[in-house]
Amino acid sequence: MPYGDKVIGTNHVLPTRGAARYTGGLWVGKFLKTVTYQEVRDKMSSAQLGEICGRLSRVERFEGHARSGDLRAARFGGGQIDWARLDELTKR
């Protein structure tokens, strides 16, 4: 979820401030459920996205999302986390 919210792009942004005027009116498609997913296949890519996610989330004061990014960066990139011991992370 943090990747989708912060760095990959598929998101749950709703039109605001009059944006609905140019995004289209109500139609049958609005009642259909659209399912999106993201897949990161490469461990180093996940580590890099984790670092970006951690930094961006902290700027926006989303510490939970930031820690999720930190975990991925450490787990797949071999980095260290200042708020947790890495040996505890690899046990899970």
Side-chain angles (χ1 to χ4, degrees):
M1 185 172 141
Y3 281 7
D5 287 351
K6 302 296 177 190
V7 293
I8 291 180
T10 53
N11 204 335
H12 45 78
V13 177
L14 300 174
T16 58
R17 296 178 157 257
R21 287 179 298 187
Y22 55 83
T23 60
L26 187 61
W27 63 293
V28 70
K30 298 284 185 178
F31 298 97
L32 299 175
K33 181 178 181 178
T34 303
V35 178
T36 62
Y37 71 96
Q38 303 119 20
E39 182 177 3
V40 180
R41 296 181 178 194
D42 181 66
K43 289 183 178 186
M44 284 309 295
S45 296
S46 188
Q48 291 171 340
L49 287 169
E51 291 177 21
I52 294 167
C53 180
R55 287 194 303 264
L56 181 60
S57 296
R58 281 199 176 82
V59 167
E60 295 180 348
R61 298 185 187 270
F62 287 104
E63 187 61 26
H65 283 30
R67 288 186 178 210
S68 176
D70 293 346
L71 287 171
R72 285 174 176 83
R75 197 171 282 156
F76 299 120
Q80 294 291 327
I81 301 175
D82 60 352
W83 53 265
R85 291 193 348 228
L86 188 58
D87 59 342
E88 289 180 4
L89 297 175
T90 56
K91 291 178 186 176
R92 296 180 187 172

